[in-house]
Amino acid sequence: AAANEFLNIVGLINESNKILVVGHIMPDGDDISSVLSLSMGLQKIGKEVVSAIDWKIPSYFNEIQEVSSIKTFEEAKDFNPDLIIIVDASSPDRVGRFSEILSKFKVVVIDHHGTNVFFGNYNWVDSSFGAAAQMILRLNKELGVKYDERLAHINLMGIETDTGFFKYSNADERVFRDAAELISLGARPDLIARMILENKKLEQFLLLSRMIEKLKLDCEGTLAYSYLSQEDYKEFNCSEEDSGGFVSEIRSIKGVEVAIFLSEFEKGEIHVSFRSKEWFDVSKVAVILGGGGHPRAAGATIKGNIEEIVEEVVRVTKSVLEGERK
Ligand code: 5GP
Ligand code: MN
Ligand code: MN
């Protein structure tokens, strides 16, 4: 079915002229890579393209100049496309306010989340891919897009970031083959790693100490969690985008299977990030809490008081973890 849907989508793109490419809220490297790589590919084959994400793009991506071409919801909402293509998003709530206009258009969803709810008219969903950017690479090639260095570099960013810089269990042979292909076309994995991992503001580095102070372990050291409130961010002169990567730090503790990091956003919503190391399916817990994701990386967004939500999330996670422990 996935192969059919892929060819249906290729056909749809070929017969469309104006295409809106939409990414997900709280955009990450795979999302930005997928939005830009698809948009650049479509432009190369002569389409009129608008790229948009209904969320502020974290400033460390600004080193990629093309990021400035991504429009806000307000800038994109009057475009009136023949086709909307949504990338790396598992459900309509993940596209922010674009969810309100989807019913007026033909919608294609391209995604690799096992929790995808097939909310497009056409859905190419394949959770065997480590990154949505790998799906875009295949789509671009099928559309006859010629890769230059810039497109190769941007396309690699998604594969590199969603595999944790090629170290997670989703970094399979196909990931390395796709990466090698893009590197041979001019992509620079070292520059991507440096831009994201070695580009911290001092304040952001110090903020980590607050997260560590608040760290708690439970379930005989297999569950570890921490959180940051708006006061914490303000005290360190930081904002919520400055805690990217903290949940992976928590997972890096010996013996920890499940790591949880909760972050209070300025709007008052709490974002929960889950990571697991070897066997626990965190996407199950995320789905219970109204979110989604992958077996080893998932998330949810919840409204309410941060301390209460920390307790609730830990309670739900513990009950699933204790029920499934090997
Ligand atoms: P992160 O913890 O980095 O924000 O997200 C980890 C994974 O969970 C990503 O694949 C992301 O798409 C998914 N995810 C994060 N937050 C949410 C959410 O609020 N809702 C849903 N459905 N998925 C989320
Ligand atoms: Mn993503
Ligand atoms: Mn992804």
Side-chain angles (χ1 to χ4, degrees):
N4 260 337
E5 204 66 343
F6 174 73
L7 292 176
N8 289 339
I9 290 169
V10 170
L12 263 175
I13 291 173
N14 281 327
E15 65 197 34
S16 303
N17 293 314
K18 296 171 72 177
I19 302 176
L20 175 63
V21 178
V22 174
H24 66 72
I25 58 171
M26 299 174 227
D28 50 28
D30 185 32
D31 189 50
I32 291 167
S33 164
S34 297
V35 166
L36 287 178
S37 309
L38 178 57
S39 300
M40 289 163 83
L42 294 173
Q43 273 157 355
K44 281 180 191 287
I45 58 166
K47 306 297 178 187
E48 188 186 340
V49 183
V50 167
S51 334
I53 296 177
D54 187 20
W55 200 271
K56 183 187 179 290
I57 302 198
S59 50
Y60 46 87
F61 288 112
N62 291 346
E63 261 184 48
I64 306 274
Q65 277 175 27
E66 290 81 352
V67 162
S68 64
S69 70
I70 301 175
K71 303 244 184 300
T72 62
F73 174 75
E74 282 83 9
E75 290 167 339
K77 71 179 189 320
D78 299 323
F79 177 50
N80 202 25
D82 306 323
L83 185 66
I84 297 182
I85 308 180
I86 297 174
V87 294
D88 198 36
S90 54
S91 52
D93 55 299
R94 295 288 286 161
V95 295
R97 284 169 289 173
F98 285 104
S99 64
E100 295 158 16
I101 65 165
L102 296 183
S103 63
K104 291 189 232 155
F105 298 96
K106 237 182 293 173
V107 176
V108 163
V109 171
I110 300 175
D111 185 34
H112 69 127
H113 289 91
T115 57
N116 193 287
V117 299
F118 290 71
F119 61 105
N121 304 107
Y122 298 82
N123 303 277
W124 179 30
V125 176
D126 188 341
S127 62
S128 73
F129 284 104
Q134 292 179 277
M135 304 173 79
I136 304 303
L137 172 62
R138 281 161 180 75
L139 181 58
N140 274 344
K141 288 204 287 191
E142 187 67 28
L143 289 166
V145 171
K146 295 255 181 314
Y147 269 68
D148 56 21
E149 272 182 25
R150 206 53 210 158
L151 177 53
H153 185 66
I154 287 172
N155 203 155
L156 181 67
M157 178 168 75
I159 303 175
E160 187 164 349
T161 53
D162 253 23
T163 58
F165 303 84
F166 306 111
K167 69 182 163 344
Y168 297 157
S169 55
N170 61 3
D172 58 11
E173 181 183 344
R174 190 169 51 175
V175 158
F176 282 96
R177 283 191 194 283
D178 288 352
E181 182 179 344
L182 292 167
I183 290 166
S184 76
L185 292 163
R188 288 282 305 273
D190 56 325
L191 297 186
I192 294 164
R194 207 191 305 154
M195 174 179 79
I196 293 173
L197 301 176
E198 300 180 342
N199 207 3
K200 295 188 181 84
K201 297 181 290 181
L202 179 61
E203 291 88 341
Q204 190 179 2
F205 193 68
L206 296 175
L207 180 69
L208 186 63
S209 67
R210 174 57 52 87
M211 187 283 281
I212 295 169
E213 276 169 31
K214 293 178 136 182
L215 183 72
K216 286 196 177 130
L217 272 78
D218 206 330
C219 299
E220 288 115 47
T222 57
L223 171 66
Y225 60 95
S226 187
Y227 70 95
L228 291 173
S229 65
Q230 272 300 307
E231 279 109 81
D232 294 318
Y233 286 116
K234 296 226 169 76
E235 194 180 321
F236 284 81
N237 224 337
C238 286
S239 70
E240 54 229 32
E241 76 173 56
D242 296 323
S243 54
F246 283 14
V247 69
S248 322
E249 293 296 334
I250 300 175
R251 175 171 56 183
S252 73
I253 301 164
K254 186 173 177 178
V256 165
E257 173 59 23
V258 187
I260 313 174
F261 174 70
L262 300 96
S263 174
E264 185 183 23
F265 281 21
E266 227 172 335
K267 307 181 175 176
E269 289 172 337
I270 312 298
H271 185 258
V272 194
S273 286
F274 295 96
R275 297 291 185 273
S276 64
K277 202 179 268 165
E278 254 184 74
W279 61 272
F280 185 67
D281 185 353
V282 285
S283 71
K284 280 194 200 163
V285 183
V287 167
I288 295 173
L289 297 165
H294 308 285
R296 303 286 166 266
T301 308
I302 307 173
K303 282 202 170 68
N305 170 273
I306 177 116
E307 271 91 14
E308 286 169 23
I309 288 172
V310 171
E311 254 179 56
E312 159 84 0
V313 167
V314 169
R315 193 179 53 74
V316 172
T317 309
K318 274 175 77 168
S319 72
V320 181
L321 183 61
E322 281 163 355
E324 292 193 8
R325 196 190 292 270
K326 283 201 283 200

